[in-house]
Amino acid sequence: MSFPTVRHRRLRRTAGIRNLVRETVLNVNDLIAPIFVTHGTNVRKEIPSMPGVFHLSIDQLDAELDEIVSLKIPAVLLFGIPETKDAIGSSGFAEDGIVQAATRHIKKRYPDLVVVADTCLCEYTDHGHCGMIHVENRDGHIHAEVDNDESLDLLVKTAVSQAEAGADIIAPSNMMDGFVQAIRAGLDEAGYSHIAIMSYSVKYSSAFYGPFREAADSAPQFGDRKSYQMDPANALEALRESESDVLEGADMLMVKPALAYLDILRMVRDQFDLPLVAYNVSGEYSMVKAAAEKGWIDEQAVVYEMLLGMKRAGADMIITYFAKDAARWLQ
């Protein structure tokens, strides 16, 4: 049958009807709010390229946590800005590291708030890469590369120290081959078989990370991350990466960034049945904030449409710097 018997507008006629037939729903339980914790005291410093997002010292966390909990956002994702950095990122797996200390503080104040710990080395290494650097002399020229297998031991140490501090979920974002297998084995051996791994399974070498690198002070000091993060031109590779993580014991998969990779979200959703996370990254956030400040777009409407698109593409959860704003609007 076709027009005039079929009239699609009948199901769009009123708000009540539209609510009844809505296929995709965004709610506050889908949201994870990132937090940048830093050393020092009395630090609440807005990140210039990310309006409304702050560097917070641990003594300034409580107001942020109170707001997040009052909005019923179920989870936070912790990134740390350490006081010191070195070649192996040792402050990332130190017992008194910034993420470890923040985790203990959060779990003491709000035991039921889910703490997701980002597990990478780039914020803690003086060279800004996500793993150990191997330097060699080739025909009189110095070459530096990220050593995949040596990096795994450090990532395991980091994950175990975060679990010991009380993190509920370990979220490794380094894109080393075999990182899920290594971290799963390390957590199990240390007695943390109950701690879930939210793997950054599909992480592209993206231009959308610019503001985050300012926020996390994690820009590489030489070269780039194209040898371990994915080429934005590749889609099938995303399935291979995801399959490896599933086989190695990941509990959740992630696609990062989200907005330019909705096709990848859908591909991963169709292929695997693990919970799927979309990361609405810093560049996506900052573009909307800048356009909204100019009065060029309706921020609330655009953010809702973006996040709804990520859900429609297959995401079960969304990490977003809009988490608090979205939670207010959804109320």
Side-chain angles (χ1 to χ4, degrees):
M1 292 187 293
S2 61
F3 179 84
T5 304
V6 174
R7 291 182 180 267
H8 299 290
R9 288 181 57 190
R10 293 183 189 124
L11 300 184
R12 305 172 194 153
R13 190 170 57 84
T14 68
I17 293 173
R18 292 192 296 274
N19 288 339
L20 284 171
V21 301
R22 184 161 291 130
E23 299 172 22
T24 306
V25 177
L26 177 71
N27 69 66
V28 70
N29 288 323
D30 302 326
L31 304 176
I32 299 172
I35 298 179
F36 294 95
V37 288
T38 190
H39 56 87
T41 57
N42 203 32
V43 177
R44 181 179 170 82
K45 182 180 179 182
E46 189 171 37
I47 299 163
S49 59
M50 300 177 69
V53 180
F54 295 83
H55 287 144
L56 298 168
S57 53
I58 291 176
D59 63 304
Q60 293 294 306
L61 269 180
D62 287 352
E64 183 79 1
L65 296 173
D66 292 348
E67 185 178 17
I68 286 169
V69 170
S70 71
L71 291 168
K72 302 187 186 308
I73 296 169
V76 294
L77 171 62
L78 293 185
F79 296 100
I81 297 92
E83 188 169 13
T84 60
K85 302 186 178 192
D86 58 28
I88 64 170
S90 60
S91 57
F93 49 82
E95 184 179 350
D96 59 351
I98 186 65
V99 165
Q100 289 80 355
T103 299
R104 292 186 184 97
H105 181 90
I106 292 170
K107 297 307 278 187
K108 183 176 180 180
R109 185 171 182 87
Y110 288 112
D112 294 331
L113 183 64
V114 176
V115 174
V116 184
D118 179 80
T119 307
C120 197
L121 300 176
C122 61
E123 297 134 85
Y124 308 101
T125 55
D126 52 15
H127 47 73
H129 280 282
C130 302
M132 281 280 290
I133 298 298
H134 177 71
V135 180
E136 62 179 32
N137 189 322
R138 298 179 189 168
D139 300 324
H141 298 283
I142 300 299
H143 294 267
E145 296 180 353
V146 176
D147 189 304
N148 189 96
D149 295 6
E150 284 190 22
S151 302
L152 296 179
D153 290 338
L154 300 179
L155 292 166
V156 170
K157 286 183 179 181
T158 304
V160 170
S161 72
Q162 292 168 338
E164 287 175 346
D168 299 289
I169 297 171
I170 300 300
S173 59
N174 52 88
M175 288 298 285
M176 297 295 111
D177 288 334
F179 70 95
V180 172
Q181 179 176 293
I183 289 173
R184 182 72 274 157
L187 289 172
D188 291 354
E189 184 178 345
Y192 297 106
S193 60
H194 59 290
I195 298 298
I197 295 176
M198 176 192 288
S199 174
Y200 285 64
S201 305
V202 183
K203 183 178 181 182
Y204 284 92
S205 180
S206 172
F208 283 95
Y209 302 151
F212 175 88
R213 289 178 180 170
E214 175 191 1
D217 189 24
S218 63
Q221 297 303 300
F222 63 88
D224 54 42
R225 295 177 178 149
K226 293 181 180 179
S227 69
Y228 46 100
Q229 294 179 359
M230 285 179 51
D231 184 340
N234 292 355
L236 295 178
E237 184 182 4
L239 298 181
R240 297 196 296 272
E241 286 279 4
S242 298
E243 183 179 26
S244 291
D245 289 357
V246 170
L247 294 173
E248 291 176 18
D251 300 284
M252 310 176 202
L253 305 176
M254 186 192 301
V255 173
K256 178 183 182 183
L259 194 58
Y261 299 89
L262 296 177
D263 60 322
I264 307 300
L265 270 168
R266 173 46 56 188
M267 287 175 63
V268 175
R269 171 75 295 150
D270 288 344
Q271 191 72 22
F272 304 102
D273 59 5
L274 291 182
L276 181 59
V277 186
Y279 198 142
N280 177 212
V281 300
S282 61
E284 298 165 1
Y285 174 86
S286 297
M287 289 192 304
V288 171
K289 284 291 186 181
E293 185 179 343
K294 290 284 189 180
W296 294 339
I297 60 172
D298 179 333
E299 180 180 354
Q300 180 175 341
V302 167
V303 170
Y304 181 75
E305 191 172 337
M306 285 171 51
L307 300 182
L308 195 65
M310 295 167 200
K311 284 293 300 288
R312 192 180 63 249
D316 298 296
M317 293 158 274
I318 303 172
I319 299 167
T320 177
Y321 303 98
F322 289 112
K324 292 190 295 182
D325 290 335
R328 290 189 197 94
W329 297 331
L330 289 168
Q331 287 180 356

